[in-house]
Amino acid sequence: MTVESPLSGDAAELTHVASKPDPNFVGRSIKPFGRWIVTAILLGVFSSVLLVEAYVNAGFVSDHAIPPGAYDTVPDTILQGGPIIDTTRGAVRSFHLPNRTIALTFDDGPDPTWTPRILQVLRRHRVNATFFVVGAQVSRHPQLVEQMFRAGDEVGIHTFTHPRLSELPRWRQHQEYSQTQMAIVRATGHKAALVRLPYSSTADAIDDANWDLIRDTGRLGYINVMTEADSRDWERPGTDAIVRNAIPPDGKSATVLLHDAGGDRMQTVAALDRLIPLLQQRGYTFTTVSDGLRKTLTNPQAGAGPAVIGNPPASAADERQGFALVTVIQIADETMSLLFVLFIAVGALTVARTFALFALAGRHARRRRSATWSWGPPVNEPVTVIVPAFNEQEGIEAAVRSLAGGDYPGGIEVVVVDDGSTDDTAGIVERLQLPNVRVVRIPNGGKPNALNVGMTLTDHDIVVMVDGDTVFEPDSVRHLVQPFADPNVGAVAGNVKVGNRTSVVARWQHIEYVIGFNLDRRLYDVMRCMPTVPGAIGAFRRQALLEIGGMSDDTLAEDTDVTMALCRNGWQVVYEERARAWTEAPATLRQLWLQRYRWSYGTMQAMWKHRCSVVERGPSGRFGRVGLPLLALFGILLPLLAPIIDILLVYGLLFTNRIETAAAWLAMLGLQALAAVVAFRLDREKLTPLWVLPLQQFVYRQLMYLVLIQSLVTALTGARLRWHKLRRTGSAGVAAPVSRA
C-alpha cells in the first residue's frame, strides 16, 4: 500500500511539534574547518606545555665525580691555578681567595625543603654564601632565590636542567646558561656573573672537554668557579666526614663545595652548623666568591680582574624575558599538576564505574534470569513497527522481512515511511508484497517527522521504532513488548548487535556495543534513569509519546531526547536484553567519525535541553538529579578526561619512569579487559573478538576522544551540526541467527 503525504489531523500536529525549533539550540553557523582550527590550536598549545614540562623536568643526577679525559689543550696556569677562572675578553687567568678566607658554595638548588634550612643556619651564624642554582628550580621557587639575594648571598648559574654539557650542541649549551640567567633576573632583578659547570671539580681536574666549555662561557661573559674543598656531601658519608672534607689546609683559602638540593641534605645541614663556628674559631673569614675575588684584586700582584663580577642589575628587557620564561614554566607546572590530579580522578571514576557496572549489571542479569521473574501477563495486543527510511535500498529488504516474519502472536503491522528517498527504497518494499507491510511516501522532513507520521497511521497502543538498516531476530518483537505488561513502563530499549563484524573497525564497535552500551543500560535500568532508547530497536507506549508531543527534532539525538522526556514525565524506561537487533556499524574510520560526532553532539544537546529537570520535583527532578549527573559524569566527563591516561602514558614512557608508567597503563588495560569479559558473559557473547581489545587502545579510543572533544567545541562555539547520512552495504544481518531459543 502506498500513501502519499498523509499530513492531516494528528499527523500535522505531531509534525509541527517535531519541527518547532527550540530557542536554546539556535546557533550560528560556522565552517567545519573553523572547529578544526580551534581544536588544532588547543592541541598545539597543550602539546607545547607538555614539552616545556618535559624539558624543565629533565632528570639529572646530582653532582658527583666524573673521571677526566685528556689534558692536551688545558694551560698549566689553569691546571695549577686557583678555583676562579677568567676567560672573558680572551683572558686566560685564575685567582685564589685571600688566605684564611672561605667561600661556601652550594649547588643544585634551590630546594623547597633543604634550601630554607641551610639559609637558617647561615643567618644564625651571620654568614653569606654563593649559590649556584639550577634554572628550572629557580623558575619554580623564585622566592627562595630572592630571599638569599636580599640577605646578601650571591647567586650563580649552574645551568637550567643540569645536563652533561659536553654532550649537547653549542646552541643548547647557550640556552642552558641564558635561560638560567633569565630565571635569576625574574627572581632578583639582577644578573649572575658566575657560572659553575655541572659535574665539574677542582681546577687540576679540568680536561679538554671542560676547558672548551670554560672558554666558551668566558666568551659569553661568565666567570667560572671550580672547587678547592669538596665536602662530598653528595655521598652522604656522615656529618663528621663532611666537616672533615670541607676544612682546608691550615691557613689556606678554599671554595667549599656543598649541596642544598639533589636528595636528603640532613647531613649537610648538620655539618654546616658545626663547620662554620669551627672555622671561625680558627680565624677564618667567610665571604661570597665575588667579595673574596674583590679582596684578591686589591693586591697589586693579582693583576687586572674581570670587568663584571657579582650580581649586576638587569635591564628592563632582561626582566621582561625573565618574566616570560618563568610564566611559561609555571603554567607548564600547574598544567602537569592538574593533569596528575585529573589522572587520579579518572582512575577513581574508572574504578568506581567498573565496580558499579559489575554490581548493578550483575544484579540486573540475575534478576532477569531468575525463574520467578516476570513482567506480568503475556502481552498479545497488536504492534505497529515504524521504519523511517531515507535511501536505505541496500538493507531495507532484509530489515522488512525480519520484521514482518516475527513470531509475535499478537500480530505485527510494519509501516515503512519513505522520507523522500532518491533511490528505490520504497519500490523494493512494495515489490515484496507482504500482507502486513505498507509503504508511506512523504517529502523529506527528517527522521523525527517520519516517525511522527508513522505513529498517526496506527491506533495500536504499542509502537516499535526501527532503523531502516536493522535486522530483527524472529522473537525480538515478542521479547521487546513484553515489559509493557507493567502499566508503568512507557518505553523499552532493546539489545543492539553489530552485524558486520568482518573489519577490525566493526569488531571494535562490537566490543563497545557489548561493554559500553548494553552493560550501561543494565546499570541505568536498575537505577531507573535510562537516558536512551536506541533508534535501532525501541518500543514505546503510544500514549506516553502523545503526552510528550511525539518525536522532536530539537536535537540530533532524537532517541535520547524522547527518552529523557519520557523519564521526566514519570514513565519507566527499561532494558530487555533478549530483544536483539542486528545493525550495520560503520566500516571505516571516517564513517565512524561522522556517526559518533552526531551522537555525541546530539547527546549534549539533549542534556542541555532537559537541564531544568535538575531543579524540578517529582519524576523529572529524580531523573535530573540522578540520570543527568550519571550521564554527564560517565558519558561526557570521563571520556573527555580519559585521554589523560594516554597523554601521561606517552609522557611517562618518553620522559619519566618507563617501568612504573607501563605498569600503571597495563593495570588500567587489565581493568578494562575484566569489564569486557564480564560484559560478554552477561550478554552470552563469545570472547573471541576480545583479542583486538589491546589494539583498540591505540586507534579507536583516540578517535572517540577526538570526536567528543570536537563535539564539545562545536557546542561551545554555537555551531549547528548537519545530519550525516552513512553509506550502507546491507550487511547488518550477516551475523544474525535465523532463529534463537
Side-chain angles (χ1 to χ4, degrees):
M1 173 182 180
T2 302
V3 181
E4 296 291 344
S5 190
L7 304 183
S8 60
D10 291 340
E13 180 180 352
L14 284 173
T15 304
H16 173 72
V17 171
S19 301
K20 183 173 63 176
D22 187 333
N24 293 322
F25 295 96
V26 176
R28 57 187 178 84
S29 176
I30 64 175
K31 295 182 179 180
F33 69 82
R35 296 190 294 273
W36 280 111
I37 291 175
V38 172
T39 303
I41 291 174
L42 291 176
L43 291 176
V45 170
F46 189 70
S47 299
S48 300
V49 167
L50 289 182
L51 289 175
V52 169
E53 186 69 10
Y55 172 61
V56 172
N57 281 328
F60 71 88
V61 178
S62 59
D63 284 330
H64 60 277
I66 295 177
Y71 299 90
D72 298 335
T73 62
V74 187
D76 290 340
T77 55
I78 296 298
L79 292 173
Q80 300 169 11
I84 306 172
I85 300 174
D86 177 21
T87 57
T88 61
R89 298 181 296 180
V92 178
R93 55 195 171 193
S94 64
F95 303 91
H96 287 280
L97 298 178
N99 288 338
R100 291 192 178 275
T101 302
I102 298 293
L104 297 175
T105 64
F106 295 87
D107 289 4
D108 296 351
D111 180 274
T113 300
W114 300 111
T115 301
R117 299 181 68 171
I118 287 174
L119 291 176
Q120 287 177 358
V121 175
L122 294 176
R123 301 293 85 83
R124 185 163 56 247
H125 296 287
R126 298 182 179 180
V127 166
N128 290 114
T130 301
F131 289 83
F132 290 96
V133 294
V134 175
Q137 291 298 98
V138 177
S139 301
R140 292 191 170 108
H141 311 291
Q143 72 284 354
L144 293 177
V145 179
E146 181 183 20
Q147 179 183 343
M148 62 179 67
F149 179 78
R150 300 306 173 200
D153 296 314
E154 185 175 19
V155 182
I157 292 172
H158 199 46
T159 70
F160 195 78
T161 62
H162 203 283
R164 289 285 301 273
L165 288 170
S166 59
E167 298 175 354
L168 300 180
R170 189 75 74 186
W171 67 270
R172 271 293 314 279
Q173 296 171 5
H174 291 182
Q175 274 193 333
E176 289 287 329
Y177 311 136
S178 64
Q179 289 171 350
T180 307
Q181 185 74 277
M182 292 303 99
I184 292 172
V185 167
R186 175 56 182 164
T188 67
H190 289 70
K191 301 175 71 173
L194 305 183
V195 66
R196 173 174 283 166
L197 305 180
Y199 314 111
S200 62
S201 181
T202 56
D204 59 4
I206 297 173
D207 58 13
D208 292 343
N210 276 327
W211 178 238
D212 181 61
L213 293 171
I214 290 171
R215 286 188 300 173
D216 187 54
T217 55
R219 285 190 287 269
L220 297 174
Y222 297 113
I223 303 168
N224 273 267
V225 180
M226 309 301 287
T227 64
E228 284 179 299
D230 186 353
S231 70
R232 303 186 73 85
D233 62 342
W234 45 270
E235 291 181 332
R236 299 189 189 91
T239 301
D240 291 341
I242 293 174
V243 172
R244 187 168 55 250
N245 293 335
I247 297 177
D250 187 40
K252 299 293 184 180
S253 65
T255 55
V256 179
L257 173 62
L258 297 154
H259 294 82
D260 63 328
D264 188 336
R265 297 303 174 209
M266 179 64 74
Q267 293 180 9
T268 303
V269 175
L272 187 65
D273 212 11
R274 288 172 49 187
L275 177 67
I276 294 174
L278 177 62
L279 290 177
Q280 285 176 333
Q281 291 173 4
R282 296 184 181 182
Y284 280 87
T285 301
F286 289 88
T287 183
T288 63
V289 171
S290 290
D291 283 344
L293 178 59
R294 290 189 184 97
K295 293 177 181 178
T296 296
L297 295 176
T298 60
N299 186 341
Q301 297 179 351
V308 179
I309 57 177
N311 292 120
S315 67
D318 290 333
E319 292 191 7
R320 287 193 295 270
Q321 292 180 29
F323 173 80
L325 174 69
V326 173
T327 300
V328 168
I329 292 172
Q330 289 176 344
I331 291 173
D333 281 345
E334 294 299 325
T335 301
M336 185 55 65
S337 298
L338 177 62
L339 284 180
F340 277 112
V341 171
L342 293 178
F343 176 78
I344 299 299
V346 169
L349 283 174
T350 301
V351 172
R353 177 181 181 273
T354 301
F355 283 102
L357 287 174
F358 287 168
L360 298 180
R363 174 184 169 188
H364 181 275
R366 289 191 298 272
R367 184 172 62 182
R368 294 293 175 85
R369 294 174 184 177
S370 170
T372 60
W373 169 259
S374 173
W375 288 107
V379 175
N380 292 319
E381 59 183 280
V383 169
T384 295
V385 180
I386 303 174
V387 185
F390 174 73
N391 290 348
E392 298 284 0
Q393 66 178 8
E394 293 85 1
I396 193 67
E397 179 177 348
V400 171
R401 286 190 183 277
S402 70
L403 295 169
D407 63 8
Y408 178 61
I412 299 174
E413 174 194 33
V414 179
V415 178
V416 178
V417 182
D418 183 276
D419 188 31
S421 296
T422 57
D423 62 6
D424 196 31
T425 297
I428 291 174
V429 179
E430 290 168 346
R431 288 191 292 273
L432 295 176
Q433 296 184 348
L434 297 173
N436 59 339
V437 176
R438 57 173 167 163
V439 178
V440 179
R441 298 175 186 261
I442 63 172
N444 181 259
K447 184 178 178 181
N449 179 67
L451 290 170
N452 284 332
V453 170
M455 225 169 51
T456 62
L457 299 176
T458 178
D459 294 327
H460 297 156
D461 187 48
I462 298 177
V463 177
V464 175
M465 297 182 179
V466 183
D467 288 340
D469 64 328
T470 304
V471 174
F472 272 35
E473 296 181 9
D475 59 358
S476 294
V477 173
R478 173 162 52 85
H479 288 305
L480 186 64
V481 303
Q482 186 56 42
F484 289 114
D486 183 345
N488 296 314
V489 172
V492 182
N495 189 347
V496 183
K497 296 292 182 183
V498 174
N500 55 325
R501 303 178 186 178
T502 54
S503 68
V504 174
V505 175
R507 286 181 188 144
W508 284 337
Q509 291 170 86
H510 168 51
I511 294 173
E512 182 188 22
Y513 274 50
V514 176
I515 302 174
F517 295 166
N518 294 328
L519 204 60
D520 282 351
R521 288 195 179 100
R522 294 178 190 272
L523 181 147
Y524 287 124
D525 189 329
V526 174
M527 299 287 290
R528 299 189 65 181
C529 56
M530 186 79 66
T532 305
V533 171
I537 176 170
F540 299 86
R541 201 180 292 275
R542 190 171 187 273
Q543 174 191 349
L545 287 176
L546 291 175
E547 286 180 3
I548 62 170
M551 305 297 290
S552 170
D553 68 353
D554 290 339
T555 75
L556 290 178
E558 74 290 329
D559 46 5
T560 299
D561 186 5
V562 72
T563 306
M564 290 181 175
L566 291 173
C567 290
R568 292 181 60 190
N569 211 37
W571 290 99
Q572 186 176 348
V573 181
V574 299
Y575 172 57
E576 178 50 77
E577 69 271 16
R578 295 173 299 173
R580 308 206 302 181
W582 297 78
T583 189
E584 181 180 343
T588 67
L589 291 177
R590 172 172 171 73
Q591 291 288 299
L592 177 64
W593 177 282
L594 294 176
Q595 182 194 67
R596 298 309 170 85
Y597 188 17
R598 177 175 61 82
W599 285 6
S600 298
Y601 184 69
T603 299
M604 292 178 188
Q605 286 180 308
M607 293 175 66
W608 181 253
K609 176 180 178 179
H610 296 281
R611 66 191 183 281
C612 59
S613 62
V614 175
V615 297
E616 293 179 343
R617 296 182 178 181
S620 179
R622 184 186 184 281
F623 175 79
R625 289 184 288 275
V626 178
L628 282 184
L630 281 176
L631 187 58
L633 195 62
F634 296 127
I636 302 296
L637 183 61
L638 183 56
L640 275 176
L641 296 180
I644 292 173
I645 295 176
D646 295 330
I647 291 170
L648 293 184
L649 167 67
V650 174
Y651 182 86
L653 290 177
L654 293 177
F655 305 115
T656 61
N657 192 306
R658 293 178 175 85
I659 295 177
E660 292 180 2
T661 300
W665 185 80
L666 289 174
M668 296 297 294
L669 180 60
L671 191 62
Q672 292 180 13
L674 180 60
V677 170
V678 171
F680 271 63
R681 288 299 186 193
L682 290 177
D683 229 31
R684 296 178 179 177
E685 287 279 356
K686 294 180 180 180
L687 300 180
T688 307
L690 291 180
W691 73 268
V692 299
L693 185 61
L695 297 176
Q696 192 179 38
Q697 311 303 308
F698 299 103
V699 179
Y700 190 81
R701 273 162 42 95
Q702 284 70 28
L703 183 69
M704 295 301 100
Y705 299 158
L706 293 175
V707 165
L708 195 58
I709 291 171
Q710 191 185 15
S711 300
L712 184 62
V713 171
T714 302
L716 293 177
T717 54
R720 298 282 288 183
L721 180 65
R722 65 184 180 88
W723 186 280
H724 297 285
K725 172 65 179 174
L726 302 182
R727 292 189 295 272
R728 302 297 184 186
T729 63
S731 57
V734 170
V738 177
S739 63
R740 180 164 58 90

